[in-house]
Amino acid sequence: MDIIVLKPGGYDEEIKHIAKKLEGMGLTSRISKGTERTVIGVIGDTSKITEETDDSFRAIPGVENVMRILKPYKLASRDFKKTSTIVKCKGMSIGGKKLCVIAGPCSVENKTMMLEIAKEVKKAGANFLRGGAFKPRTSPYSFQGLGEEGLKHLEAAREKTGLPIVTELMDPRDIEAVEKYSDIIQIGARNMQNFRLLLEVGQSRKPILLKRGLAATIKEWLMSAEYIMSRGNQNVIMCERGIRTFETATRNTLDLSAVPVLKKLTHLPVVVDPSHGVGILEHIPAMAKAAVASGADGLIIEVHTNPEEALSDGEQSMRPEAFKKLMKELRPIAKAVGREI
Amino acid sequence: MDIIVLKPGGYDEEIKHIAKKLEGMGLTSRISKGTERTVIGVIGDTSKITEETDDSFRAIPGVENVMRILKPYKLASRDFKKTSTIVKCKGMSIGGKKLCVIAGPCSVENKTMMLEIAKEVKKAGANFLRGGAFKPRTSPYSFQGLGEEGLKHLEAAREKTGLPIVTELMDPRDIEAVEKYSDIIQIGARNMQNFRLLLEVGQSRKPILLKRGLAATIKEWLMSAEYIMSRGNQNVIMCERGIRTFETATRNTLDLSAVPVLKKLTHLPVVVDPSHGVGILEHIPAMAKAAVASGADGLIIEVHTNPEEALSDGEQSMRPEAFKKLMKELRPIAKAVGREI
Amino acid sequence: MDIIVLKPGGYDEEIKHIAKKLEGMGLTSRISKGTERTVIGVIGDTSKITEETDDSFRAIPGVENVMRILKPYKLASRDFKKTSTIVKCKGMSIGGKKLCVIAGPCSVENKTMMLEIAKEVKKAGANFLRGGAFKPRTSPYSFQGLGEEGLKHLEAAREKTGLPIVTELMDPRDIEAVEKYSDIIQIGARNMQNFRLLLEVGQSRKPILLKRGLAATIKEWLMSAEYIMSRGNQNVIMCERGIRTFETATRNTLDLSAVPVLKKLTHLPVVVDPSHGVGILEHIPAMAKAAVASGADGLIIEVHTNPEEALSDGEQSMRPEAFKKLMKELRPIAKAVGREI
Amino acid sequence: MDIIVLKPGGYDEEIKHIAKKLEGMGLTSRISKGTERTVIGVIGDTSKITEETDDSFRAIPGVENVMRILKPYKLASRDFKKTSTIVKCKGMSIGGKKLCVIAGPCSVENKTMMLEIAKEVKKAGANFLRGGAFKPRTSPYSFQGLGEEGLKHLEAAREKTGLPIVTELMDPRDIEAVEKYSDIIQIGARNMQNFRLLLEVGQSRKPILLKRGLAATIKEWLMSAEYIMSRGNQNVIMCERGIRTFETATRNTLDLSAVPVLKKLTHLPVVVDPSHGVGILEHIPAMAKAAVASGADGLIIEVHTNPEEALSDGEQSMRPEAFKKLMKELRPIAKAVGREI
C-alpha cells in the first residue's frame, strides 16, 4: 500500500485524476479528508508499484508527498522467506551455527606469499581464503592486481590447504575466469551499484559476497542483493565493511548496527569486515569481537606475513600470530552468543 | 611540531617572514626545499601553538597548508597520563575491571514510577540509576521534564535502592540543584560544545558523563573533555551514543570503533549508550553485547516499566524483564574480554 | 493526520487498543486492511500529536511504523503565515527587496581595530556590523573573546558608523549585557539546540540570527526557530553556514539548497554565511554570489584589516579591498534575481 | 615530499630502517627530532611515492602517521597544466566563455517523445541533448532503458536539431555502441569508481562527462579523472550532482563549493546538475542560478514534455516552458560573472 498526501487546498480534480490513474492500474483509492491535509490510501496488489510509479505520482501538481509502506525488495526480504538462508560452499556453511572466518591478504602478490599466508590462516582456524587478483584502486598508478595469474595462485593455495577461495570480480568481462578459479565471488563496495555486474553474477552458480557501498543505505544494499537474486542466484552474503562519515579517526565508520537490522529485514547471512571497517591495525581485534557479539555470521580479515612489504593495505593487515591470538579470543564470545568458531 | 607547506613558486620573502614570526614565538624553523614544494618544520616548545596560531599562518599569502603533528588536547591524552583513569563514585568505580551499568527511564515522570523502575533495574544488576529531570527536546511543545521536582524523585529512588544517580544538566543556572541531588552529572549530546556549560561542570567535584555530539569527531569530543579538565575536574567519562550519518534505518549510527580509538588516545573511561545509538528496541541487546565486546567500560540503557506510557523515548525503552535477560547474556561476553558485570 | 502501519499478522486486538487510545485523545481511527499491511489513519485535530505521542504508538507491540504527515512546527511554517516576514532593525529591513550584508571580524579584538574595520565595511556597503565578544572555541586554550569589554567596542563602532550590531550570545547569564549593546542577537551553530538559550532569547525583543547546527536537518533547525517563536519573539532570521559532511576540501559543506527549501517551508528570512560555509578565503566570493543567486535575503561575511594578526578565523577573513570588490560584483547578480544591494 | 611522524619514544632503529628504505627508493630522509615527536621529511623525486607506499610506511611499527604533501593526481592538476581546458565537441566548446547547457529527459522512452523534447530544449537555448539509453536503477524491477534502440532515437533527435548527444555508459561491453551514437559519454555517479569502465573510456576519443560519486571526496573524483586521462583521453568534464549527507529535505546535497574548489585544483571544465542535486522540481531554478553564479562552465538539466508519464525522474523534470523561463533568467547572472549563455 502507498499513501499519497495532497497539498493543502481544494484539490477535487486532482483526487479524481489520481483515482482514475490508480484504477487504470487495477488499484483502489481510499480518500481521507483531514482538517489540514487530504490523504489517499492505495489498496490492492501494490506489488507493481515501483519507485518510479511513486515518482510519477509526485509529478502530479497538488501532490505533496508519496509515502511507501511496502519494502521495495522482495526475494531478499524476511517477509518473503522466514527461515535464515544458509549458504553452502565446498562443505562449509555460511549462516549456520558455525561462524565463517575468511582471511588472507588484500592482494595476491606472488605464489610463495600466497601459499605461506594460506597455510598460516588455515592453521589459525580460518575456513575461507581471501585474496584479490583484480584490485579496485583509487589511483591509476597503484598496483592493479595480477589478474588471471593471481587467480591461479589462489587455486594453488586452495589445493594445498583445502580452503575455499573468495575473490573479487570488478568487470563483467572477467566473470568466466573468476568463476573458474573462485568459490565465492566478491562484489566490492565501489561496485555495489554496478548494476550490470550484479545482473552478471545473478546468473552465476557461485555464492556472492556483496560488500556494502560506502554511502549505501541498508535499503539500497538490499536492493542490490535483490538485483542478484532476481536473476536466479539466491546465495548472497551481505558484508558490512564500514560507511563513509565525517569521522576521520578511522578509515570508515563500521556500522555494526547493520548486523541486527539486516537479521530482521532479510534471511541472508551477514558477515563483517573489520579490516576495512576501521582501517587501523590495532583496533581490528576489538571490532572483530564486537561484530561476533552483535550477531554476525562471520568475519573477513586481512592477514599478511609481511605487512610492510604488502602491495596494498599493508597498514591494516594482521600478522599471523596476531590473527591466531584473535581467533582464540573470539571463541568465548561466539559461545556467549550461541555460536561456534 | 607543526609543518608549514608553501605554495609552489619562489617564496624567499615569505620564508623569511615566517621564520621571523616563529622566532618571535621562541621557535625555530627548519626549511626543506623539495622539487615541488618548500616545507618549513617548526621546532621548539610548540605547546603554545593553538589552532588559531595555525590559522594565522594559513592567512599568510604563499602558505598552502599548515599541518599539525601534536594533538590539541593534553590533560585528556594518554601521552600525558599513561594509566587508565578509574572514576570513583559512591563506592563504585567506572573504568575498572567491573563494568558499570547505568539504567533507568529517559525522563523522570513521577515518584511512583521512578521508585518502581529503580527497584527493577537494581534487581537486574544495574549499579547506577539514570533519569532526566531537565530534558532537551527538539520540540518546544514536548514534555520538558519535571525540573527540581524530578531531582527529588531521583533522590528518593537512591534512598530506597542505594543506586547512585546520573542526571543531565542543560543550563549553567541549574548547576547547584543538579549537583545537590545527583552523583554523576550528564552533559548531553546537544550540549557537547556548550562551552560555558563545560567550564561550569569543570568546577564541580562530581564526575561528568560527557556524551558525544551528533556530528562531533573524536578529536572535538576529547577537546570538550579537555575543557572540563582544564578547570580542574579530572573525572570525565566519555559516552558514545551514536553519530549522525546518511543511514535512516537506525536513529543514529552507533560508532563502536570509537571505543578502541578512545582507549588508545585517552586515559578516560568510555561507556556506550546503545538505546540512543540504535533507537530501535529489538536491536539494543545486540549492540549492548557488541559494546562490551569492543572494550567499553560500561553501558547506559533506557529501561521503563510501561514504555507505551513513557513521556519520552518510549519506543526505545526496554522492559525490566528484557533488561534482566540482557544482563545475564552480557556476563559471558564481559568475562571473555576480561571484565565482570 | 498520522498514519500507523501494523506489522504483518492478525492484530485485531492491537487495532482495538490503538483505536481506543486514539478515542481517548478525541481522535478517530480509520482502518485500511491491505493484502500485506494494515494501516490506521488518524483523523481529527492532530495538532496535539507531538513526536513523543508518535513514539508511544511505536512502543505498542504490533506497530511497525508511525508516519507523520503534518509538520512538527507551526509558527515558523508558511502554512501558518503566508507572507514573508520582514525583520525590522534600526531602520533596516531583513527579508525585503534590499539584501542585508553583515560584515566584520570574527572576534572583537580591541577598540581601534573594531572602529577601523567598521568604517571599512560601511564604506564598502555593508549595512550591519558583526563581531564576537563571547566566542565559542573548540579549545579551552584559545582566545575566548573580550566579553562585555568587546560589547562596548561594538557599541563605539556603531556610534561612529551607524551600523547596527550583530553579536553572539552563548550563555543565558549574559543575555542582559548582550541585549543592552547589540541590535541582533546571534545564536551560533553549536548552540542551535541549546534549548534553554533559545527559550531565553524567545523572550527578548531583539531579532535573533539563528545559525544552522553542523548536523541539523532543516526540520530540526525550524524546530529551533519554533522554540524562540513559541516564547513570543517572531523576529527570527535563519542563517545557513554549512553542514558537516565527509568532504574535507572545505571547512563545511555550504548547503545552498537550504535557501529555496526554507523559502518554501517558512516565512522567515534566510541569510548565508559563506565565510564559515567554505572556510577558504579565495572561494568566499564565488559562494557569496551563488548565495545571492539562490535567493538568500542577505550575507554575513568575515572581514578583517589584518587577517594574519586576527585572534580567530584569520585564514578566512577578507581584506576590506577584496570585500569592496565583492560588493560591486554582487550588484548585478542581486539585480538579476530582483533584489538590490 | 612526504612527512613521516614517529610515535613518542626512542626509535633510533626505526629511523635507520626508514632511512634505508627511502634510500633504496632513491630518496633522502631529513630527520627533525622535536621535544615530543620525531619527524622524517622525505626529499627527492617523490612522484613515485604512491598511496600504498605511504601505507607500507604506516605498517612499520613506531610510525604514527604519514602525511602527504603532494597531490596524488597529476594530469588533472592545475599545477601540471595552468591553462583551463576547453573541451571541443561538434563545434561547441565546454569551458570557454559561453556556458554549455545540456538538457533532455532522464531516459529515452520512445522516438516521438525524444524528437519533441529535443526540439523544445533547442528552442529554449540548450546546446546539448541528454537522454539515457542505459539506465542505472536502484531496483531490478524498474525500467532499465531501451538500450541501443534508445541510442538510435538520440541519433534521430540529433539529426533533426543538430544538438550533440550526451548519454551514459554503464558497461564496458557497450562502449562501441555508445561511442557510435553519442558525442559525449557520461559516467554516472554510481560508476565514478568503476575503474575498469574509466580505463575503457580513457581510450575513447569522445569527451567524458564524469559525474561525482555520492560519497566521493573531490580528491577521489579527481583521481577518477586521472584514471581516464592516464589512458590518453584528456577531455574530461567534471559534473557536480550532489553528495549524500544526513539531510533528507533534498534528494542529495548539491555541493556548489566544489565548483570554485575544482577551478583551483584542476584545469578541467566543471558543470552542475541541479536536477539530481536537489531532486525537487520547484527548487531547480534557484540552484541552476546559484551554479552559474558560483562559476560553473555549464548545466545539465532534466526536461520532459510530460513529466507525469516519464518512465524515470518524472518528479524532477522541468516542463519546456519552465526551462525556457529559466534560460532567460540565467542570462543576466551569466553576464554578471563574465559569461554568456
Side-chain angles (χ1 to χ4, degrees), chain C residues 74-253:
Chain C
K74 262 166 241 198
L75 302 172
S77 165
R78 212 179 258 280
D79 285 358
F80 175 80
K81 176 171 181 287
K82 304 280 177 231
T83 57
S84 294
T85 290
I86 298 181
V87 172
K88 306 276 186 187
C89 176
K90 298 240 158 178
M92 300 288 176
S93 296
I94 301 167
K97 193 177 181 188
K98 196 174 164 64
L99 298 180
C100 85
V101 179
I102 306 165
C106 178
S107 310
V108 180
E109 289 159 20
N110 59 63
K111 195 169 166 182
T112 319
M113 163 279 230
M114 202 58 238
L115 293 180
E116 195 183 306
I117 298 178
K119 270 189 280 180
E120 290 284 0
V121 301
K122 161 129 199 186
K123 216 166 35 178
N127 35 28
F128 287 86
L129 182 66
R130 63 154 289 156
F134 299 101
K135 295 300 306 170
R137 306 306 302 272
T138 19
S139 167
Y141 309 120
S142 291
F143 174 58
Q144 308 273 324
L146 293 180
E148 191 157 351
E149 194 197 329
L151 294 174
K152 285 178 186 161
H153 299 337
L154 284 168
E155 188 185 39
R158 178 177 53 204
E159 266 170 38
K160 279 274 181 215
T161 60
L163 293 177
I165 298 302
V166 182
T167 200
E168 180 163 356
L169 174 72
M170 283 178 66
D171 189 323
R173 295 171 298 187
D174 297 325
I175 180 112
E176 247 177 274
V178 172
E179 265 207 315
K180 183 174 161 198
Y181 295 102
S182 74
D183 301 299
I184 295 182
I185 301 174
Q186 176 179 319
I187 297 295
R190 282 169 180 79
N191 280 316
M192 193 205 83
Q193 291 193 321
N194 182 338
F195 301 115
R196 290 302 191 86
L197 198 60
L198 299 179
L199 292 177
E200 199 66 40
V201 298
Q203 297 174 63
S204 174
R205 290 131 312 134
K206 296 279 164 85
I208 308 304
L209 184 90
L210 179 65
K211 289 203 154 190
R212 182 181 188 176
L214 273 79
T217 62
I218 290 175
K219 191 182 103 178
E220 288 169 338
W221 187 13
L222 285 168
M223 287 306 287
S224 288
E226 188 83 8
Y227 252 94
I228 298 169
M229 299 169 89
S230 72
R231 281 288 168 112
N233 189 345
Q234 308 305 311
N235 289 313
V236 178
I237 304 152
M238 308 296 281
C239 177
E240 163 65 31
R241 45 78 70 206
I243 55 172
R244 180 155 281 181
T245 69
F246 60 83
E247 178 58 78
T248 54
T250 43
R251 180 165 168 181
N252 294 289
T253 297

Side-chain angles (χ1 to χ4, degrees), chain A residues 17 52 134 137 139 141-143 173-174 190 193-194 196 200 215 220 223 226-227 244 308, chain D residues 17 52 134 137 139 141-143 173-174 190 193-194 196 200 215 220 223 226-227 244 308:
Chain A
H17 174 64
E52 65 263 36
F134 300 101
R137 307 304 305 270
S139 167
Y141 310 121
S142 292
F143 173 60
R173 295 170 300 187
D174 297 325
R190 283 170 181 77
Q193 291 194 318
N194 183 339
R196 291 301 191 88
E200 200 65 41
E220 288 168 339
M223 288 306 288
E226 187 83 8
Y227 252 93
R244 181 155 279 181
E308 195 187 324
Chain D
H17 173 64
E52 65 263 37
F134 300 101
R137 306 304 304 270
S139 168
Y141 309 120
S142 292
F143 174 61
R173 296 170 298 186
D174 298 325
R190 283 169 180 79
Q193 291 193 319
N194 183 339
R196 290 301 191 88
E200 199 65 41
E220 288 168 339
M223 288 306 286
E226 188 83 7
Y227 252 93
R244 181 153 281 180
E308 194 186 326

Side-chain angles (χ1 to χ4, degrees), chain A residues 7 17 21 50-52 55-61 72-75 134-144 170-174 190-191 193-196 199-200 214-217 220 223-224 226-227 230 244 251 282 307-315 319, chain D residues 7 17 21 50-52 55-61 72-75 134-144 170-174 190-191 193-196 199-200 214-217 220 223-224 226-227 230 244 251 282 307-315 319:
Chain A
K7 289 178 191 169
H17 174 64
K21 198 167 168 172
T50 59
E51 300 213 331
E52 65 263 36
D55 280 354
S56 77
F57 279 100
R58 279 189 195 103
I60 299 173
Y73 46 87
K74 259 165 245 199
L75 303 172
F134 300 101
K135 295 300 307 169
R137 307 304 305 270
T138 19
S139 167
Y141 310 121
S142 292
F143 173 60
Q144 309 273 323
M170 282 178 66
D171 189 323
R173 295 170 300 187
D174 297 325
R190 283 170 181 77
N191 279 318
Q193 291 194 318
N194 183 339
F195 300 116
R196 291 301 191 88
L199 291 176
E200 200 65 41
L214 273 78
T217 61
E220 288 168 339
M223 288 306 288
S224 288
E226 187 83 8
Y227 252 93
S230 72
R244 181 155 279 181
R251 182 165 165 181
E282 60 196 308
E308 195 187 324
E309 300 300 326
L311 293 179
S312 57
D313 279 356
E315 88 288 7
R319 286 170 198 275
Chain D
K7 290 180 191 168
H17 173 64
K21 197 168 168 173
T50 58
E51 301 214 331
E52 65 263 37
D55 282 353
S56 77
F57 279 100
R58 279 189 196 104
I60 299 173
Y73 46 88
K74 260 165 243 200
L75 303 172
F134 300 101
K135 296 299 306 170
R137 306 304 304 270
T138 20
S139 168
Y141 309 120
S142 292
F143 174 61
Q144 308 272 324
M170 282 177 67
D171 189 324
R173 296 170 298 186
D174 298 325
R190 283 169 180 79
N191 280 317
Q193 291 193 319
N194 183 339
F195 302 116
R196 290 301 191 88
L199 291 176
E200 199 65 41
L214 273 79
T217 61
E220 288 168 339
M223 288 306 286
S224 288
E226 188 83 7
Y227 252 93
S230 72
R244 181 153 281 180
R251 183 166 166 179
E282 60 195 308
E308 194 186 326
E309 299 300 326
L311 293 178
S312 57
D313 279 356
E315 88 290 3
R319 286 170 198 276

Side-chain angles (χ1 to χ4, degrees), chain D residues 162-201:
Chain D
L163 293 177
I165 298 301
V166 182
T167 200
E168 179 162 356
L169 174 71
M170 282 177 67
D171 189 324
R173 296 170 298 186
D174 298 325
I175 181 112
E176 247 179 274
V178 171
E179 265 207 315
K180 182 175 160 199
Y181 295 102
S182 74
D183 302 298
I184 296 181
I185 300 174
Q186 177 180 317
I187 297 295
R190 283 169 180 79
N191 280 317
M192 193 204 84
Q193 291 193 319
N194 183 339
F195 302 116
R196 290 301 191 88
L197 198 61
L198 299 179
L199 291 176
E200 199 65 41
V201 298

